[in-house]
Amino acid sequence: MKEFDIEEELKKIPHHPGVYLMHSDSGELLYVGKAVDLHNRVRQYFRSGHGHNNSPKIIRMVEQISWFEYILTGSEMEALVLECNLIKEHRPRYNTMMTDDKGYPYIRVTLEDKYPKVLYSHQMRRDHSRYFGPFTDAGAVHEIISLTNKLFHLRTCNRNLPRDIGKERPCLYYQIGECCGPCTPEVSYSDYRDRIDAAMAFLKGDTREIISSLKQEMKRLASEMEFEKAAELRDRIESIQHIMDKQRMQDTNQDNRDIIAMARGDADSVITVFFVRDGQLLGRENHHMSQGTEDEDAAILGEFIKQYYSSCPYIPSEILTRQPVPDSEAITAWLSEKKGRRVSLLQPQRGDKAGLLKLAEENASLVLSQDIERIRKRELRTTGACGEIAEILGIPSASRMEAFDISHISGYHAVASMVVFENGEPRRNAYRKFRLQTVDGPDDYSSMKEVLSRRYTNEKLGPLPDVLMMDGGKGQVNVAERVLDSLGIDIPVCGMVKDDHHRTRGLYYKNNEVIFPKGSEAMHMITALQDETHRFAITYHKQLRGKAQTHSILDDIQGIGPKRRQALLLHFESLDRLKAAGIDELCELPEMNRRAAETVYNFFHTPQEQDDPSL
């Protein structure tokens, strides 16, 4: 890059909304921010007496700024969205960061199906299902789903209804009375949909009707001396009341809201979020934020809200905080657009809402006092280990590491794995599997060349890593460096070296073996990365090998799909009986038509026939 003249570049910045990015001389992204007026905001960093320089944190950052860039947007809200995305992607050092990202389990009712089911879902998708949540306790979600299915006798099978109604005998759940049996002609569609509607009312928290109905049924059974069945209903009523009592919120307002509170330490803060849906507390979640001592509480809360709701699939109607956050109007407009309706940021001073906020603050303080040591240990094992690796290797950062491994048996079913660690933790949604396409036989170097070429020519597989880790020594490193050179990509490449006992010993880097201090967090990190890479590759290879071992000769008949293959196997039971069957006999199966029967018959009665002893 040519010499960057900051004073000259400052003059060129337009008076326009956008996002600015501050870089060090090594290219590290130090900070991402947004502005209504880029010209005025960015200039403040380099002018004394304008507020920014009063912060020691900003002073330290400005001392390291070598150059900056900016991205223009159409509005402040667009700048806010872009800022959130860039911070999540690059995790700049001087931005206040949320140090943990979580999934949000939901309860999903598959209304797109003719006969819906109640399922566990890791996320809320844009489909025709009805979602309840988010929850924070996955165990509670499974418990509620199980209870709902038992209460309303809903189906849990994978049968295709109504197509398969009456075709097979009902499953065990029907026999023991836990499923009403929609797969039988005795249960009408309207009856089953009534059960689904009642189940959704139950999931929304309307338990009065179902409890009243169960109590009446319990009394009837008791009067008829069916004491065992009455006791079963009594236990079911108690289960419902127990779960609802845990979820019930002392609040008569039925609006959905999140209550966000903070407890602050010297270098860490705990942010607690209470989820209130339809007047019920669905759960709570605790997040940790890292910040400088000079960061204000309102600014930390504002950063949290932007990062949190940029990935959270559900946005409530109200968000309660103790104090107003910076850029509240832009944040409100952004959240309202994401939700599709008005979202309010409120600071209650009295009443029930203020009481809930106080409760959340007490919870956050408790978590901070109990977890501060755990937080420090976790950071030492994760981001601390990444910093140690970067320092030992002499590279700017090791925040994102990608590792590759090849798995095969004498070249058979050769596969490769790509494992990603970000900030010291596995990022499993970024893992990738590769089936080798151009290499025959046990050639690990050619296999790795193919995989790396496919990975680093496909932008959809994620951003480039800070360092590339190869499961092997000098040979694998040389292959990787040649591939990267041919693509014009400059990434440090290391080989993860093992000792004679197959334990990670160190890294091969720049033609030298780097030995880490024994027992160091950096060594633990490299060991975990190498083990995870090997495990992921082996698991994928076993999957492919298992599929090949269960291959049936019927799989080779063109035009005969899985359902017809299954029908043939069930009806004829052996390959010899199937071979002996004529076209008319094959046509007797409901799944077979004349054309399919002729296809099967001709497959076994042509000169190219090959016997296979197994189906």
Side-chain angles (χ1 to χ4, degrees):
M1 171 178 285
K2 67 177 183 178
E3 189 68 25
F4 190 90
D5 190 328
I6 289 181
E7 289 299 325
E8 285 298 317
E9 295 300 326
L10 287 173
K11 298 176 184 177
K12 301 176 185 178
I13 303 176
H15 295 276
H16 199 283
V19 172
Y20 55 91
L21 300 89
M22 303 295 193
H23 296 270
S24 68
D25 57 359
S26 66
E28 178 189 1
L29 182 58
L30 300 172
Y31 186 80
V32 174
K34 70 157 186 65
V36 179
D37 188 318
L38 281 169
H39 183 88
N40 293 341
R41 175 63 66 85
V42 177
R43 286 173 64 88
Q44 289 177 349
Y45 287 95
F46 305 96
R47 298 290 184 267
S48 61
H50 285 272
H52 279 304
N53 289 9
N54 293 333
S55 165
K57 173 181 173 183
I58 296 301
I59 292 174
R60 290 194 301 272
M61 181 191 77
V62 171
E63 291 173 349
Q64 300 178 56
I65 295 175
S66 178
W67 58 282
F68 60 80
E69 58 182 321
Y70 49 87
I71 303 170
L72 301 182
T73 60
S75 66
E76 184 184 7
M77 188 173 71
E78 289 181 11
L80 177 68
V81 174
L82 180 58
E83 179 197 30
C84 290
N85 291 335
L86 290 174
I87 290 174
K88 286 177 67 65
E89 179 179 353
H90 298 289
R91 307 182 73 88
R93 189 199 313 177
Y94 285 96
N95 281 96
T96 302
M97 295 301 302
M98 186 167 67
T99 58
D100 54 348
D101 296 316
K102 296 186 178 181
Y104 307 92
Y106 286 80
I107 295 175
R108 176 189 174 202
V109 183
T110 61
L111 294 180
E112 66 270 24
D113 296 336
K114 187 79 171 177
Y115 289 80
K117 296 189 291 183
V118 179
L119 304 174
Y120 180 100
S121 179
H122 291 282
Q123 56 184 324
M124 186 168 68
R125 296 185 174 89
R126 294 181 179 273
D127 54 24
H128 296 290
S129 295
R130 176 74 182 275
Y131 290 87
F132 298 87
F135 295 82
T136 57
D137 186 345
V141 174
H142 288 294
E143 182 182 356
I144 293 171
I145 291 173
S146 176
L147 177 61
T148 303
N149 286 328
K150 290 179 180 179
L151 281 174
F152 302 99
H153 302 97
L154 303 178
R155 76 184 188 103
T156 57
C157 67
N158 292 322
R159 294 184 181 180
N160 189 335
L161 303 181
R163 190 196 67 185
D164 294 340
I165 290 178
K167 288 188 176 180
E168 298 181 36
R169 65 181 182 180
C171 66
L172 178 62
Y173 290 101
Y174 173 79
Q175 305 294 338
I176 63 177
E178 289 194 3
C179 176
C180 65
C183 60
T184 65
E186 288 77 19
V187 178
S188 67
Y189 169 72
S190 60
D191 176 38
Y192 190 80
R193 289 305 296 233
D194 287 342
R195 293 174 181 270
I196 288 292
D197 291 340
M200 289 193 295
F202 167 69
L203 292 172
K204 285 176 62 177
D206 185 6
T207 60
R208 289 174 295 181
E209 184 176 342
I210 182 64
I211 288 178
S212 175
S213 175
L214 289 174
K215 284 183 176 178
Q216 291 179 6
E217 180 67 10
M218 181 182 66
K219 291 177 181 178
R220 184 189 66 81
L221 290 171
S223 66
E224 296 176 358
M225 305 189 73
E226 296 279 355
F227 298 118
E228 187 174 340
K229 293 181 179 179
E232 182 182 341
L233 288 185
R234 179 202 62 204
D235 294 340
R236 191 169 298 177
I237 291 169
E238 290 178 354
S239 296
I240 296 173
Q241 291 175 330
H242 174 65
I243 289 179
M244 290 301 109
D245 286 344
K246 287 197 299 182
Q247 301 287 74
R248 184 65 59 190
M249 185 66 115
Q250 299 300 318
D251 182 12
T252 57
N253 191 322
Q254 297 299 297
D255 286 340
N256 297 333
R257 63 173 60 95
D258 285 354
I259 299 101
I260 302 179
M262 181 177 72
R264 182 169 181 171
D266 292 336
D268 300 278
S269 295
V270 170
I271 307 287
T272 292
V273 184
F274 278 177
F275 306 114
V276 181
R277 304 291 181 263
D278 294 326
Q280 296 179 38
L281 178 62
L282 293 187
R284 70 179 183 186
E285 206 169 78
N286 295 308
H287 294 267
H288 300 116
M289 299 284 288
S290 59
Q291 84 282 320
T293 55
E294 65 278 2
D295 288 327
E296 296 180 356
D297 291 356
I300 297 171
L301 281 174
E303 288 297 323
F304 172 80
I305 289 173
K306 289 187 289 186
Q307 294 177 47
Y308 181 74
Y309 289 108
S310 65
S311 60
C312 184
Y314 181 83
I315 298 173
S317 301
E318 293 181 350
I319 299 173
L320 310 184
T321 59
R322 174 60 65 191
Q323 63 262 77
V325 299
D327 306 314
S328 59
E329 291 185 3
I331 292 174
T332 299
W334 167 56
L335 293 175
S336 298
E337 184 175 275
K338 280 177 66 81
K339 183 177 178 63
R341 56 190 299 183
R342 175 70 179 172
V343 175
S344 301
L345 295 178
L346 305 176
Q347 292 77 46
Q349 302 301 316
R350 61 182 62 88
D352 292 338
K353 294 179 181 179
L356 294 175
L357 191 55
K358 186 173 185 294
L359 178 64
E361 289 172 340
E362 292 173 353
N363 174 81
S365 297
L366 181 63
V367 172
L368 181 64
S369 64
Q370 292 177 340
D371 284 6
I372 189 64
E373 190 59 35
R374 184 183 64 82
I375 296 170
R376 291 171 180 159
K377 289 181 179 179
R378 177 176 175 271
E379 288 185 346
L380 185 64
R381 291 194 306 268
T382 55
T383 55
C386 291
E388 187 179 349
I389 292 170
E391 183 178 354
I392 292 175
L393 295 178
I395 60 178
S397 173
S399 296
R400 180 181 172 104
M401 295 184 286
E402 292 183 0
F404 293 81
D405 190 20
I406 304 292
S407 180
H408 60 81
I409 297 179
S410 300
Y412 179 69
H413 283 314
V415 299
S417 66
M418 180 183 94
V419 165
V420 179
F421 273 31
E422 279 195 352
N423 296 302
E425 296 184 302
R427 189 184 172 193
R428 290 185 172 82
N429 61 353
Y431 287 14
R432 293 294 182 267
K433 304 171 183 175
F434 300 87
R435 294 184 70 168
L436 277 300
Q437 300 172 349
T438 63
V439 180
D440 294 324
D443 189 341
D444 284 359
Y445 291 164
S446 297
S447 299
M448 192 59 71
K449 180 180 178 181
E450 175 192 331
V451 170
L452 294 177
S453 299
R454 289 165 59 185
R455 159 45 184 129
Y456 293 114
T457 55
N458 188 345
E459 296 180 355
K460 295 181 180 180
L461 297 184
L464 296 178
D466 297 313
V467 59
L468 174 57
M469 297 287 184
M470 307 300 298
D471 186 54
K474 182 177 181 180
Q476 294 285 18
V477 170
N478 290 339
V479 170
E481 290 178 338
R482 286 197 297 269
V483 171
L484 295 178
D485 287 342
S486 68
L487 298 174
I489 298 174
D490 183 17
I491 301 174
V493 181
C494 297
M496 296 181 287
V497 183
K498 292 187 176 182
D499 59 21
D500 294 337
H501 301 287
H502 211 64
R503 292 181 301 219
T504 305
R505 183 177 66 201
L507 293 176
Y508 180 81
Y509 180 57
K510 289 186 175 180
N511 297 319
N512 291 303
E513 186 171 328
V514 179
I515 304 298
F516 288 85
K518 189 175 181 180
S520 67
E521 295 296 345
M523 176 59 74
H524 292 321
M525 176 72 66
I526 296 299
T527 302
L529 179 62
Q530 188 170 32
D531 291 345
E532 177 70 353
T533 307
H534 189 61
R535 179 203 65 80
F536 193 56
I538 289 293
T539 301
Y540 183 41
H541 185 256
K542 286 181 177 178
Q543 289 175 351
L544 294 181
R545 197 169 69 233
K547 289 180 180 179
Q549 290 172 345
T550 58
H551 180 80
S552 165
I553 192 173
L554 300 187
D555 295 334
D556 297 328
I557 306 178
Q558 297 295 322
I560 302 300
K563 293 182 180 178
R564 281 178 171 160
R565 289 199 298 268
Q566 183 181 20
L568 291 169
L569 288 168
L570 291 174
H571 182 80
F572 291 101
E573 296 181 349
S574 72
L575 185 61
D576 290 337
R577 286 188 58 191
L578 177 58
K579 287 180 178 180
I583 294 177
D584 291 337
E585 186 178 357
L586 291 169
C587 285
E588 292 177 2
L589 274 70
E591 293 81 4
M592 301 291 289
N593 55 30
R594 187 80 185 177
R595 183 177 179 181
E598 290 175 351
T599 299
V600 174
Y601 182 84
N602 291 335
F603 179 82
F604 288 113
H605 295 82
T606 58
Q608 292 79 25
E609 174 187 347
Q610 293 183 351
D611 288 344
D612 190 323
S614 67
L615 282 175

